[in-house]
Amino acid sequence: MIGIFDSGIGGLTVARAIMEQLPDYNLVYFGDTARTPYGNKSALTVQAYARRCADFLISKGAKVIIIACNTAASAAAELLAESYPTPVFEVITPGAALAAQLSRSGRIGVIGTRSTIASGAYEKRILGFRPSAEVVSHPCPLLVPLVEEGWFRRRETAMIVKKYLRPLKLRQIDTLILGCTHYPVLAGLIQEKAGKRIRLVDSAMAVAGRLKTHLEDTPDLAARLSRGGRSEFFISDVTPQFEAIAQKVIGRRLKVLPAEP
C-alpha cells in the first residue's frame, strides 16, 4: 500500500495524481487537519507531527511513505528517511528537478508557505540540478486557508494571487513551482494571473511521476505493494467542509474516517 500524509487537504492533489498514474495500487491517505497549518510551526514541531503521521500510515500497511506536504518535506524528509526502513518520497526534489529541466531562461519562481520558503529547500535543490539558475522565492501564507475554506474562484482569492505573483513576474521568471500541495487546486487561477508565458510545475504530478518510475525500476518493491485500486482516507478532525472539498479535489465521493495518531 502507498501511504500519503499532509497537514490537511492539499495532499489530496498528490493522492489524485497517484490514482491517475498508478491506478492499480492501493493507497492510504492521512490529513492532519486538527493541527493544520504546518507552515507556521517550528521545524521541531513539524518533525514530531511527521513521525506520528508516518507511524499511522505504517500501521495501516503502507510500504511506501509520501510526504505530500512541502513544509513537512523541508523539515522532516531526511529524518524520516533515516528513521524508517520504508522508502520515503517527498514533493520538493521532483518538482525542483522538473523546473530545472523545463525552464528556458533559468529564472525559476517558487511560491509556498512561509516555512517552506524560509527553509530554502527548493532553491538548494534547483541549484543542485542547475547551478546557473536564478531562483525567486515568495511566501504566500493566505493561499492555504483560502483553499481549506473552498474559495477557489472568489474575487478576493484572485486579488491575493495577483498580488503574490507580482514580484515574481517583475523578475521575469518563465517557470513557477507550486511549492505547496494545496496550490494545484488554484492552478487555473494562478496560471491566469501569471500569464501564458510562465509555465507551472505541479509538485503533486512530479512526485507521482517519480514514484511511478521508481516502482518500474524496483520490481521487488512494486511486488510488495497491494493492488486492487482501493483507497482509504483518514483525517484527524472530520468536518463536512473537508469532505465537500475533498470530493471536489478527487472528483468523486469519498468516505473519510477519523483518526488520531
Side-chain angles (χ1 to χ4, degrees), residues 35 41 62 68 80 85 114 120 131 137 167 172 229 235 254 256:
R35 301 178 184 89
K41 306 291 195 305
L80 295 190
R114 284 196 178 100
S137 302
Q172 297 185 320
I235 58 176
L254 301 177
V256 182

Side-chain angles (χ1 to χ4, degrees), residues 206-228:
V207 72
R210 177 70 187 93
L211 175 61
K212 182 179 181 180
T213 299
H214 184 77
L215 293 179
E216 290 170 350
D217 293 341
T218 54
D220 289 347
L221 174 60
R224 294 199 301 272
L225 298 180
S226 58
R227 305 197 189 194

Side-chain angles (χ1 to χ4, degrees), residues 72-252:
S74 63
E78 291 185 10
L79 175 67
L80 295 190
E82 294 170 356
S83 302
Y84 296 89
T86 306
V88 176
F89 293 82
E90 41 81 15
V91 290
I92 295 177
T93 302
L98 183 57
Q101 175 186 344
L102 293 177
S103 177
R104 300 179 302 277
S105 67
R107 289 188 293 274
I108 300 169
V110 183
I111 54 175
T113 65
R114 284 196 178 100
S115 179
T116 297
I117 297 303
S119 74
Y122 270 104
E123 181 173 8
K124 179 181 178 180
R125 285 168 175 78
I126 291 169
L127 294 176
F129 292 115
R130 189 168 176 173
S132 63
E134 177 186 347
V135 183
V136 184
S137 302
H138 192 70
C140 303
L142 293 177
L143 296 189
V144 168
L146 288 170
V147 170
E148 299 275 353
E149 192 61 31
W151 286 24
F152 302 158
R153 299 295 302 185
R154 294 284 289 266
R155 181 174 62 89
E156 295 88 347
T157 305
M159 293 172 61
I160 291 169
V161 167
K162 182 178 180 180
K163 182 175 179 62
Y164 280 151
L165 294 181
R166 179 173 173 76
L168 290 94
K169 293 177 70 176
L170 289 174
R171 297 284 293 273
Q172 297 185 320
I173 64 169
D174 68 6
T175 305
L176 177 63
I177 297 176
L178 306 182
C180 173
T181 50
H182 283 70
Y183 296 176
V185 178
L186 302 174
L189 180 59
I190 293 171
Q191 185 71 76
E192 178 185 318
K193 298 305 178 184
K196 296 180 180 179
R197 188 182 63 82
I198 296 176
R199 185 165 184 173
L200 302 189
V201 171
D202 181 343
S203 55
M205 293 297 293
V207 72
R210 177 70 187 93
L211 175 61
K212 182 179 181 180
T213 299
H214 184 77
L215 293 179
E216 290 170 350
D217 293 341
T218 54
D220 289 347
L221 174 60
R224 294 199 301 272
L225 298 180
S226 58
R227 305 197 189 194
R230 296 185 300 277
S231 54
E232 298 178 282
F233 296 88
F234 297 89
I235 58 176
S236 52
D237 184 22
V238 178
T239 64
Q241 178 74 355
F242 180 94
E243 293 180 318
I245 297 174
Q247 289 175 20
K248 291 181 181 179
V249 174
I250 297 295
R252 61 177 174 82

